[in-house]
Amino acid sequence: MSAVDLYPNCRAQGVLSHCKTTAAKLLSTAKEAARVTLPGASPITSAALHGVNESRRTVVTMKTVGIDRWEIEAIFERKRSFRSKIRKQLKNMDPLRELMRNLSQFIDFKTHSASQIIVLESTWFKAGKSLCAYISSAALREVDTSRIVSEVLSDHAKKGKKLYVPRVEDNNSNMKMLKISTVDDLTASSMNILEPSLVDSDGNHREDVMQASDPVDLVILPGLAFDKSGSRLGHNGGYYDSFLKKYQELIEERKWKQPLLVTLSYSIQIMEEGSILVTPCDVPVDALVSPAGFATPISSAALKKCN
């Protein structure tokens, strides 16, 4: 089975093309839906941005000063319980109803989701020369990234914009971010998740972002849940936290600018600040984007780019 078969949105009319027959009915409610915002959401203003914690962008280390083994175990247990709850909610979620419930602007139902529109129209995406992004999995109920992937690959052909996507190496949280040039570079893994092969069609090793001569400007991450302070709950593999820790260390070593860390999520995945317990190994994100058309800058890096 090819990448196009498993990831049709890269060449299809869009993630919601199947809604064509209902679009006319939905348009009549668009204005009312546009007023819906996430609980606790507020406009991005200079006052709201005051006092952002600069320390959130520091390199994560494995130090556990002030946290003993029992506290770590308690956090892991709470995370396991939280993951189970969120997975159940995502499994029972009707993606179309969730999108419509949170609609905050007119959406072209024949093209792509609101979350991707926000990313694609943002200045920080347009200005970036390279990025890392996950390849979305419907089985994991991840927010679709097919439009973003297609746009980057199109820009790559026109302007040389680089895209690195994840490839899981083993069960020990080791993951590479490898450069691709087309969706045909992706093949299904044993978990039925699209990943890049280690070598290209010419037999050459793909460029690893850890060996790249320039830094990436943006990293788009998946996850099970996120809170408004930037804490992220992953799928319990530790792959992204491990990768980000290594990449942050590389950036510090080379004195590069830190990339913007952005997550795409459904509104039910966004929790109040402090809801997600973290360990010293967990890497916080800079901004949250949901289908509601709501972007939440969290760190100073995100604030500067969003402004």
Side-chain angles (χ1 to χ4, degrees), residues 47-68:
L49 306 184
H50 179 69
V52 174
N53 187 356
E54 292 279 352
S55 66
R56 297 195 65 82
R57 296 299 285 133
T58 58
V59 176
V60 177
T61 69
M62 295 296 289
K63 292 181 181 179
T64 56
V65 176
I67 303 180
D68 62 31

Side-chain angles (χ1 to χ4, degrees), residues 14-74:
V15 66
L16 296 177
S17 59
H18 63 287
C19 301
K20 183 176 180 180
T21 56
T22 63
K25 295 180 181 179
L26 296 175
L27 292 179
S28 65
T29 63
K31 289 185 178 180
E32 181 64 28
R35 300 190 186 100
V36 178
T37 59
L38 294 176
S42 60
I44 301 173
T45 65
S46 57
L49 306 184
H50 179 69
V52 174
N53 187 356
E54 292 279 352
S55 66
R56 297 195 65 82
R57 296 299 285 133
T58 58
V59 176
V60 177
T61 69
M62 295 296 289
K63 292 181 181 179
T64 56
V65 176
I67 303 180
D68 62 31
R69 196 184 97 192
W70 304 112
E71 288 179 283
I72 293 291
E73 285 298 325

